[in-house]
């Protein structure tokens, strides 16, 4: 967050849209909410599903060298000893001796309590993992932690995946799942919360090839955002300085996005080297190595990890898609230019009025299109207002059934961004929309291929 | 679990297949496992994704009257006071005074410790919710619980959903998510574990129509399993007796499945009446009602809830699909007759040998088919063994590239169940497989429509 954002969407508008249209609500809102936990509403859940699906498709389905995994949130506590989380995953905290408020000492710019000016205690480390107890007795023997990342589930299953898939290096494991971090400082809407979802790949490679694979994944991930419509000028790689690197990392580059509050991390690419497999091998006493057919040696692979927060992606895609257009009469149209792959609804069916004969045709269309896509149906208020409502939630196409439809068996298809309208025979509607929506031109790399040279990282900061 | 299962698959075979082929592993296995938590491997994660997708498609996408939601696992603790979980979601436990083992007193058939014969303590209630602390201090003010069901997330958002979607009764909210129960007695593989996933619909209806909607959902859910290939004779509704009903339920019918260990609950349909909305309305002081346009009155809707365990579904679909066929030579073929919608891979591409020219064609096919489906590629060992390997994991179609393919541009398509083989021009392969796999005949109701009359429930028990 190093510089002022240029004039674009502000966070209040996004939060308000999310709340008003059912993308995101504060969790347990009727009870006053639960600090920095969020619920995805009917539209948000579809947007999030689409983002996760697009990621899975790109990193698992369309590749031959990455397989999926879904490991449990509760893991054997020894996992977190080996990974270093039990000792090192902590924030430094101080208490105010007067008002008893608690602060992160590394974020304080003053020596005394920012609230009351009181004296502060010595700083002590506070572990960010949520702790709970498994089994009937709340004692040390039953302590387990909610995972703060999904990565460790993939490392401890390295040998299981190798044995069952018989993959050869290089290959990866991908996982999407909930993680929990008992953060002291949360905020910026869904940007930093205590319960969130991440999408991670652990890509195992031969030592010595890790630097090249790092560059590969950085470009691969950057191009994924571009393919799904994020503007290039809103993405910026940021190289971590040596002293910033996590204990396991040889190199880390964040993919920063220009959020309303400024540039901040959307995804991180880390070269974890052989840290994790070595640690778990040593702590478990199990052999977590790979037999190299060429050299006839057992080696410990290196790992390149692209890891992205699902909720931050949701926020980035929403911010990037948000737009306001003013027409000649000075009326403002708010809309989401969401990529059709991500849009909660692909199509909305609108009968011009609630007359029975129109409704019948519209309902039939609705039911028919639902076999293919998430579709909505709206018959309330004027057609203009209904178009605006769909624009605001990013629906790429509206299909209007009017009185002429009863005569000529045609409907009007209106496109969100251009507002162009065409008449399409009902018999050809599915095919027309299918060509527009599900064609193979989606999820195809933009011309050029190479997006950033990784050497540019430093210059952009 | 009231009667002996007839001769069919036993659990050990399923567990062994799951482990050996990468469907399901014990969690944190290298550290000795974590009691009754499980990790889904590369095949398991795809099977589970497909089940969840088929459910979402059936209950949300294809309907106009159900919307999705994805609420947080950590909720405001008051939620569990209102729902009755804090007080009532517990098991009665006793300790052995001699060997200190702990038992569920309602499951004991003897008065003294089943292990050592020692004297037992008085029974006391043990809450099944996992407890953790949010914020830096582990005190009562920071106590939160891991949700034991997703239902409450939907009830507390009732008004949010109503306001943002403007749905009219009857309408439903659907959710899929992780839940946690600190069960004392776990087991039967993934049947009962401490961390699992559920798929729930809360369907809100006008009071007085709840009984009819209950019958509707029972049949709807039964037919979903049949459409996806579960054998009718392995499903059986079981009506709860009055004294069995949960505190919130007016009527509950379990959909039992004939698991290897016997008949046991796969899904439960409950008529929750207006219990939840009334409780949350009263505890939160917020109006959780619905304005009836007809009567001009504010009413509290009733709720019908079909709720199914994802992991139990995985187990049921695996057990039901498992088969062993003996050929004339006495050789046994193990296979999974999984519905194509659920199969982890839809197609496997097999080059007859590793000769470069064959591999080139096979790799191109593989990359091309991956744009449409989850596809695997196998070039190890004889073609016969490779077919068997795919049969065992339920892949509906194998595509073999042989030397003749280089001449005639055709490949062999082999079907899993019949083992029939046809030659298909490469140019028509996608279309041929598409017709077989993605045709609209999938997910279509079997002839007849009505599956069970609900009155039959009692007789089948």
């Amino acid at each position: 967050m190093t510089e002022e954002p240029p004039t674009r969407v502000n966070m209040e508008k996004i939060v308000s849209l999310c709340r008003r249209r059912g993308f995101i609500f504060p969790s347990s809102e009727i009870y006053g909410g639960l600090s920095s936990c969020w619920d995805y509403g009917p539209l948000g859940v579809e947007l999030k599903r689409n983002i996760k699906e697009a990621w899975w498709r790109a990193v698992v389905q369309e590749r031959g060298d990455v397989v999926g995994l879904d490991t449990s949130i509760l893991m054997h506590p020894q996992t977190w000893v080996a990974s270093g989380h039990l000792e090192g995953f902590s924030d430094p905290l101080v208490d105010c001796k007067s008002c008893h408020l608690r602060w992160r000492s590394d974020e304080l710019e003053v020596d005394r309590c920012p609230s009351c000016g009181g004296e502060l205690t010595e700083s002590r480390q506070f572990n960010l993992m949520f702790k709970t107890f498994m089994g009937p007795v709340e004692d040390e023997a039953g302590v387990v932690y909610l995972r703060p990342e999904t990565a460790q589930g993939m490392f401890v299953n390295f040998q299981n995946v190798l044995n069952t898939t018989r993959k050869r290096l290089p290959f990866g494991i991908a996982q999407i799942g909930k993680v929990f971090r008992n953060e002291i400082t949360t905020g910026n809407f869904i940007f930093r919360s205590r319960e969130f979802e991440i999408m991670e790949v652990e890509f195992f490679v031969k030592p010595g090839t890790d630097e090249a694979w790092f560059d590969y994944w950085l470009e691969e991930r950057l191009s994924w955002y571009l393919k799904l419509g994020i503007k290039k000028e809103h993405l910026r790689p940021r190289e971590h300085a040596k002293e910033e690197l996590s204990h396991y990392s040889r190199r880390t580059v964040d993919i920063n996005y220009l959020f309303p509050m400024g540039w901040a991390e959307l995804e991180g690419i880390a070269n974890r080297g052989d840290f994790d497999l070595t640690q778990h091998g040593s702590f478990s006493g199990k052999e977590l190595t790979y037999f190299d057919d060429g050299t006839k040696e057992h080696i410990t692979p290196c790992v390149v990890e692209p890891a992205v927060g699902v909720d931050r992606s949701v926020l980035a895609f929403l911010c990037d898609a948000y737009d306001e257009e003013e027409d000649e009469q000075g009326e403002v149209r708010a809309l989401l230019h969401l990529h059709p792959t991500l849009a909660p609804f692909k199509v909305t069916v609108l009968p011009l009025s609630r007359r029975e004969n129109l409704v019948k045709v519209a309902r039939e269309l609705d039911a028919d299109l639902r076999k293919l896509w998430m579709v909505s149906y709206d018959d309330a208020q004027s057609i203009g207002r209904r178009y605006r409502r769909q624009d605001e939630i990013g629906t790429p196409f509206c299909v209007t059934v009017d009185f002429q439809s009863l005569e000529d068996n045609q409907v009007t298809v209106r496109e969100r961004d251009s507002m162009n309208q065409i008449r399409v025979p009902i018999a050809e509607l599915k095919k027309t929309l299918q060509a527009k929506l599900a064609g193979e031109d989606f999820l195809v790399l933009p011309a050029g291929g190479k997006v950033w040279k990784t050497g540019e990282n430093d210059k952009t900061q």
Side-chain angles (χ1 to χ4, degrees), chain A residues 21-50:
Chain A
R21 299 306 310 274
F23 281 95
I24 296 158
F25 308 121
S27 169
S28 312
E29 195 181 9
I30 60 170
Y31 292 111
L34 185 66
S35 168
S36 101
C37 286
W38 301 93
D39 291 347
Y40 285 78
L43 297 181
V45 67
E46 300 298 340
L47 173 59
K48 189 157 70 129
R49 282 166 55 81
N50 293 340

Side-chain angles (χ1 to χ4, degrees), chain A residues 178-190:
Chain A
K178 277 274 172 89
V179 299
F180 298 82
R181 296 182 186 177
N182 201 357
E183 301 272 0
I184 302 306
T185 314
T186 57
N188 285 316
F189 195 31
I190 54 172

Side-chain angles (χ1 to χ4, degrees), chain A residues 35 54 99 109 114 135 143 173 185 197 212 220 249 285 293 326 459 461:
Chain A
S35 168
C99 72
E109 290 168 2
V143 168
I173 308 179
T185 314
E197 236 175 327
E220 186 70 15
S249 180
D293 293 324
E326 205 175 316
K459 277 175 271 168
Q461 275 303 302

Side-chain angles (χ1 to χ4, degrees), chain A residues 89-138:
Chain A
F89 192 60
S90 54
D91 278 344
L93 293 190
V94 291
D95 293 318
C96 171
K97 290 179 179 174
S98 303
C99 72
H100 304 295
L101 280 180
R102 188 156 279 190
W103 307 91
R104 265 183 67 169
S105 55
D106 58 336
E107 287 183 347
L108 283 183
E109 290 168 2
V110 288
D111 287 341
R112 303 180 73 91
C113 175
S115 172
C116 77
E119 197 188 338
L120 299 171
T121 60
E122 285 290 294
S123 171
R124 64 178 189 87
Q125 291 298 315
F126 166 69
N127 198 288
L128 296 179
M129 288 195 294
F130 281 96
K131 187 164 104 175
T132 186
F133 301 94
M134 185 175 269
V137 192
E138 285 185 17

